[in-house]
Amino acid sequence: MQLLETLKRVVGDAHVLTGDDAAPFGKDWTGKYISTPLAVVRPATTQEVSAVVKTCSVADVPIVPVSGNTGLSGGAYAEGAIMISLSRMNAIREIRPDARVAIVDAGVVLSSLHEAVDAHDLVFPLFFGARGSAMIGGVLSTNAGGSNVLRYGNTRALCLGLEVVLPDGRIMDLMSELHKDNTGYDLKHLMIGAEGTLGLITAAVLKLSPKPLAYATAMVATPDLPGALSLLNQLQSATGGAVEAFEYMPRAYVERHIARIPGAREPFDAPYDVNILVEVGATAPRDADVQPDGSVPVTNYLEEVLSGMLEDGTVLDAVVAKSDGQRAQMWERRESAAEVTLTTPTLVDNDVSVPVDKVGTFLDRITERVQKLDPGAAELTVSHLGDGNLHYTVFPNQTDAEHRDLIRQQVEEVTRELGGSFSAEHGIGLTKLPSMTRNKDAVSMDVMRLIKAALDPKGIMNPGKVIPKV
Ligand SMILES: Cc1cc2nc3c(=O)[nH]c(=O)nc-3n(C[C@H](O)[C@H](O)[C@H](O)COP(=O)(O)OP(=O)(O)OC[C@H]3O[C@@H](n4cnc5c(N)ncnc54)[C@H](O)[C@@H]3O)c2cc1C
């Protein structure tokens, strides 16, 4: 009680939430992780964050940062902890079009940033289904990926500077706007992807890119995944590397999408096994301007590659979006993935990455192993194929935790065999702690523990996440 009174003095009575007011923060998007935080504290400035963290540190009370609560790995689970929400720190401090940067508070919602930079014909090129809730602090802390990593990299690649409140309350100013700054260890990269275990991100300098003036978007069916990769590579050559997204949805995904989402439709007249959503973005007027015959060059490039491949049989079918509405419909199919997939409680969801030319091998090998272990188990994949990231889900017949973990271990083994990672873009949180224990190189694990102990000797920052107990 004493602690809450002190926190109220720092942020004001109205911004220390308890009981029913705090309860919504204790439930994440998946509904899988439900916790009762001691309180949710909503500071308005970095100085207030610092004072809150200092107070918790002195009292030895755990802290869990929370942003949009859309993380898929249980990283914001906060039983008995003080949750710090930066939702009041939501100012876009500055957009500097000439320098192509935005300087923002960590509580800015991703889609709000999209809207703000759009007014300057710029884009912050991080897109995924939860962009209307996820916040900058959250996407940096999970190093989120999404559908445009192929062209722009993941969140790490989109960040120039950070401000971080350390576990003892000190404010670390890394708000650099520099593209080159070799002054010792790159602490910014230590904080990005740390899932709130090393500090609380309060602000960031983000890189912006020119907004595509026109998009060419299509659904394409290929005979197999090597054929899909050939399409990607031909398109990259034809467009000078302008492919923005290259997403794979197998037949099972299309069927489940139609069954689960009202109004969902087949992408083609006939059913195909390999369905690709491809999007090319043109930033140069010469590629984007409507020609006298009504055509748009970027669409012509896409159609030329597709017609060549249709002729030689390496593409089976293709539908090119002719309107914003058609484009939106194509994207809706892909962006419903979380709703389509994660609504069954006893699934085994995996977020793995392998080299882009090994995605097909991964799927062949894992299907064989899973079917041996659990004959008839349904499997569902949706993949950011352009960067080798697969969301591979199994709906097992046996639902006990031990059996599900055996399936997960098979996934980890196949991933390892192919030089992949068991955790591509959703972070470790609580969900992937056993996978960390089994797969992370022991020396790297040691170094992570040393860093955690050095920065957070009391172990109060998001305890129990990312680093498994010894
Ligand atoms: C429908 C849907 C689609 C998704 N699609 C994708 C996708 O395509 N690609 C992808 O990469 N991810 C995807 N995700 C998951 C993605 O990780 C999160 O949506 C997002 O990155 C987390 O942002 P958030 O603001 O909700 O963070 P939260 O869920 O609130 O927090 C995530 C983690 O970061 C920590 N944290 C939060 N804020 C801070 C801060 N200010 N400082 C330090 N630590 C902090 C939390 O403690 C927690 O560990 C999707 C999620 C959903 C629900």
Side-chain angles (χ1 to χ4, degrees), residues 29 65 67-71 75 128 134-135 141-142 144-146 195-196 201 425 462:
W29 184 90
S67 286
N69 229 334
T70 67
F128 54 83
M135 297 174 187
S141 297
T142 55
E195 299 179 50
I201 296 171
E425 63 172 9
N462 213 357

Side-chain angles (χ1 to χ4, degrees), residues 28-30 64-72 74-77 84 86 106 126-131 133-147 194-197 199-202 334-335 338-339 384 389 391 425-427 429 461-462 465:
D28 71 354
W29 184 90
T30 66
V64 176
V66 64
S67 286
N69 229 334
T70 67
L72 298 174
Y77 180 83
I84 300 183
L86 301 192
L126 175 68
F127 290 94
F128 54 83
R131 59 184 173 273
S133 307
M135 297 174 187
I136 297 305
V139 301
L140 283 163
S141 297
T142 55
N143 186 26
S147 304
E195 299 179 50
T197 58
L200 223 143
I201 296 171
T202 46
R334 174 60 186 86
E335 292 203 320
E339 287 91 336
H384 302 298
N389 178 192
H391 301 307
E425 63 172 9
H426 293 162
M461 279 305 292
N462 213 357
K465 317 291 168 53

Side-chain angles (χ1 to χ4, degrees), residues 56-81:
C56 293
S57 170
V58 169
D60 267 336
V61 172
I63 295 165
V64 176
V66 64
S67 286
N69 229 334
T70 67
L72 298 174
S73 305
Y77 180 83
E79 189 62 37

Side-chain angles (χ1 to χ4, degrees), residues 351-371:
D351 160 41
V352 305
S353 63
V354 293
V356 287
D357 58 347
K358 300 220 162 64
V359 170
T361 313
F362 171 86
L363 288 170
D364 290 346
R365 284 194 198 172
I366 194 59
T367 294
E368 195 184 327
R369 292 197 194 194
V370 165
Q371 292 307 321

Side-chain angles (χ1 to χ4, degrees), residues 252-313:
Y253 177 85
V254 172
E255 283 172 4
R256 199 171 159 100
H257 175 248
I258 291 170
R260 301 229 153 194
I261 305 290
R265 300 227 304 260
E266 287 280 358
F268 306 103
D269 292 339
Y272 296 103
D273 288 336
V274 178
N275 304 278
I276 304 289
L277 166 62
V278 59
E279 182 155 281
V280 186
T283 54
R286 67 171 178 273
D287 296 329
D289 287 348
V290 180
Q291 303 300 292
D293 65 359
S295 70
V296 178
V298 65
T299 308
N300 295 343
Y301 305 148
L302 174 62
E303 286 179 343
E304 275 162 28
V305 170
L306 288 174
S307 65
M309 293 184 76
L310 276 162
E311 231 162 75
D312 68 21

